[in-house]
Amino acid sequence: DVLGSRGLGDVYKRQVVLDTFMGSGTTPVACLNTNRHFIGIEMDNTIYSIADNRVAEHAKLFDTVE
């Protein structure tokens, strides 16, 4: 996928990605997939809740991997 392979290509692993228009949380999920930290900003509380739930569900996948 473009975001996972190219969109974060200039960011070294374990660095922080600032997403000032977080939307549904695609960038934070890509950061989790590529071992990067993120700060997400979203003005709309409804959209933020959707992104927060999406990222939390995705993060659970990493908690179960040994």
Side-chain angles (χ1 to χ4, degrees):
D1 96 15
V2 173
L3 186 61
S5 63
R6 296 181 54 89
L8 299 174
D10 292 335
V11 180
Y12 294 105
K13 291 187 185 312
R14 300 189 182 227
Q15 285 190 326
V16 178
V17 175
L18 174 62
D19 184 2
T20 56
F21 302 98
M22 191 167 63
S24 65
T26 301
T27 298
V29 167
C31 287
L32 289 171
N33 288 339
T34 57
N35 198 25
R36 288 161 172 87
H37 301 283
F38 64 89
I39 298 171
I41 300 169
E42 177 55 56
M43 290 178 53
D44 185 308
N45 287 333
T46 302
I47 300 297
Y48 174 79
S49 293
I50 292 167
D52 188 43
N53 290 333
R54 180 180 180 195
V55 172
E57 287 298 314
H58 194 76
K60 287 180 186 177
L61 298 173
F62 293 95
D63 290 339
T64 60
V65 175
E66 293 183 14

